[in-house]
Amino acid sequence: MSTPPRISTRISAISESATLAVDAKAKAMKAAGRPVIGFGAGEPDFPTPGYIVEAAVAAAREPRFHKYTPAGGLPELKQAIAAKTLRDSGYRVEPSRVLVTNGGKQAVYQAFATLLDPGDEVLVVAPYWTTYPEAIKLAGGVQVDVVTDETTGYLAGVEQLEAARTERTKVLLFVSPSNPTGAVHSREQTEEIGRWAAEHGLWVVTDEIYEHLVYGGAEFTSIATAVPELGDRVVILNGVAKTYAMTGWRVGWLIGPGDVVKAATNLQSHATSNVANVSQMAALAAVSGDLSAVGRMREAFDRRRQTMVRMLNEIPGVLCPEPKGAFYAYPSVKELIGKELRGRRPASSAELAELILEEAEVAVVPGEAFGTPGYFRLSYALGDDDLVEGVSRLAKLLADAR
Ligand SMILES: Cc1ncc(COP(=O)(O)O)c(C=O)c1O
């Protein structure tokens, strides 16, 4: 009789988050006293605005928040999320169609767990955020990559999506602004893609977590609002992490048709029950307040974005299209792969990233993490001086590539 594996096949197929791994290595080097500059983190460098923190402090003092609350979220927060969705996306939903989750990540997991049966295909535009493949796989789904590159600004059009569609396609994952590329679809492109999805009876799972971080005249368009023909086959994922510098508070949400929200709430009721009440009350202050704090962050990000893109494009062998949203640049470094650098010859972007961390003490996330080797993701959510110093070190090192 053979011994069953210690770790289930399902879970052992999950890889470590590459972005967190780079961040952890950089932090360990820093702790050891090395002056590492990290472009790996996917979080604003600002603290959470004071009025949000104060709301949490007040909530922590209230005994009713020391107890279990409804698994699907505090009614007042669901109401506020519905109101915020109407304000920001023009999308009208009843609070009963909102499920409050432990960060956007849990919304991603629960959306796919709720929609997918084994073998169902999901169209995913690559480069993609590292978490989607694991969530799809765990739900038994099959990810079908729609690969884009810098020549189209990392945007996939209907023709490319249609070429990847099969009889098993159930879901289109739509992410605009995108992590890792910062690509933003125009309203026209969004409408075209949405109409195509509707025509073929596909579900659209749309991740709107970077909705407020768009620059240089780019506009966020919610596909749910832009394409009413999608009817009730739309699931919106969102959260407070990026808009209000609240990554550590762990509050996100999922908005969908009643049956999906009910099923996902059932799942959550067994997995995690309610999200921490103190965090929910902080999120309530965030979503029911104005957008001035994110406006100030956006200004800083925009300035850093322009500096970073300009400096990256000055490095021979690096090609960086202008990101229009989120807080990442995604340059191609394909020309540098295989070149000789400090006595080594990195054969992949992963190897080049490792060399850069060791030689220049600069942490970048290699494109392997996002399904497209040959690229780096650099977050510009860090201080201006560090940004300039980090990219300068990169330029100095890469100038030696032969
Ligand atoms: C595209 C995208 N969606 C969702 C999330 C989830 O964020 P959180 O779980 O912190 O709310 C992230 C975080 O990096 C992201 O980049």
Side-chain angles (χ1 to χ4, degrees):
M1 215 179 72
S2 65
T3 326
R6 288 168 59 82
I7 309 296
S8 73
T9 328
R10 224 176 46 256
I11 299 301
S12 50
I14 298 179
S15 347
E16 179 185 18
S17 159
T19 48
L20 294 186
V22 169
D23 203 41
K25 189 164 178 190
K27 281 183 179 145
M29 285 173 68
K30 236 180 180 164
R34 294 178 63 181
V36 173
I37 293 188
F39 289 111
E43 60 185 348
D45 57 319
F46 300 96
T48 303
Y51 66 95
I52 297 175
V53 177
E54 290 311 318
V57 171
R61 295 206 170 95
E62 273 204 50
R64 75 184 164 112
F65 292 130
H66 303 169
K67 307 288 185 199
Y68 290 128
T69 51
L74 292 170
E76 55 270 52
L77 177 55
K78 297 205 309 187
Q79 177 83 48
I81 290 170
K84 168 251 168 284
T85 306
L86 183 61
R87 176 193 68 187
D88 298 340
S89 306
Y91 192 65
R92 192 176 291 281
V93 278
E94 290 303 314
S96 61
R97 289 177 47 196
V98 176
L99 165 61
V100 180
T101 58
N102 286 277
K105 259 186 189 165
Q106 193 182 21
V108 171
Y109 267 83
Q110 291 179 171
F112 288 121
T114 304
L115 290 177
L116 299 180
D117 271 321
D120 285 344
E121 292 178 3
V122 183
L123 298 181
V124 179
V125 174
Y128 45 73
W129 178 46
T130 45
T131 287
Y132 301 131
E134 307 302 349
I136 293 167
K137 223 174 0 179
L138 200 56
V142 176
Q143 173 172 336
V144 176
D145 287 359
V146 179
V147 181
T148 64
D149 64 21
E150 65 280 14
T151 60
T152 57
Y154 306 108
L155 293 174
V158 162
E159 231 170 77
Q160 225 190 328
L161 294 169
E162 176 60 16
R165 188 177 64 85
T166 74
E167 287 195 342
R168 295 300 315 257
T169 309
K170 181 168 182 186
V171 178
L172 165 70
L173 174 63
F174 186 77
V175 190
S176 173
S178 148
N179 173 5
T181 64
V184 179
H185 282 280
S186 68
R187 170 165 289 274
E188 294 68 33
Q189 289 164 336
T190 305
E191 285 173 356
E192 206 184 326
I193 290 171
R195 281 198 212 107
W196 166 83
E199 188 187 320
H200 296 288
L202 302 183
W203 285 78
V204 174
V205 172
T206 175
D207 187 337
E208 304 191 340
I209 205 151
Y210 293 102
E211 63 182 328
H212 291 294
L213 296 175
V214 286
Y215 316 100
E219 271 179 43
F220 161 73
T221 309
S222 176
I223 197 167
T225 315
V227 188
E229 300 93 300
L230 285 168
D232 72 350
R233 294 193 188 200
V234 188
V235 175
I236 300 175
L237 313 176
N238 206 331
V240 291
K242 318 286 175 174
T243 303
Y244 304 99
M246 290 179 73
T247 47
W249 297 80
R250 311 309 306 137
V251 183
W253 56 87
L254 173 162
I255 293 173
D259 53 351
V260 168
V261 170
K262 175 84 178 66
T265 307
N266 289 347
L267 168 61
Q268 181 164 307
S269 74
H270 293 290
T272 56
S273 300
N274 62 274
V275 173
N277 295 318
V278 168
S279 286
Q280 289 198 66
M281 290 306 284
L284 175 61
V287 298
S288 45
D290 67 18
L291 295 167
S292 50
V294 66
R296 284 191 293 276
M297 278 202 308
R298 187 170 48 231
E299 255 175 52
F301 289 150
D302 190 14
R303 184 180 65 239
R304 297 168 188 175
R305 172 185 78 106
Q306 295 181 42
T307 307
M308 178 178 268
V309 172
R310 179 180 44 76
M311 289 181 72
L312 286 172
N313 278 322
E314 282 166 7
I315 304 175
V318 175
L319 192 71
C320 187
E322 188 191 0
K324 302 274 170 44
F327 39 62
Y328 310 101
Y330 200 72
S332 161
V333 291
K334 282 179 276 192
E335 277 187 32
L336 295 166
I337 310 295
K339 290 205 167 162
E340 201 268 343
L341 185 56
R342 300 279 160 97
R344 283 153 69 179
R345 205 174 277 282
S348 63
S349 42
E351 282 184 27
L352 183 58
E354 223 174 293
L355 188 152
I356 290 170
L357 184 55
E358 285 160 22
E359 296 285 334
E361 299 177 314
V362 168
V364 300
V365 188
E368 279 82 349
F370 311 103
T372 55
Y375 298 82
F376 286 160
R377 188 191 79 173
L378 289 87
S379 162
Y380 47 84
L382 77 170
D384 297 65
D385 293 346
D386 276 358
L387 187 152
V388 170
E389 165 67 16
V391 185
S392 303
R393 282 192 210 167
L394 207 59
K396 189 160 176 282
L397 173 69
L398 295 177
D400 292 342
R402 295 283 174 268

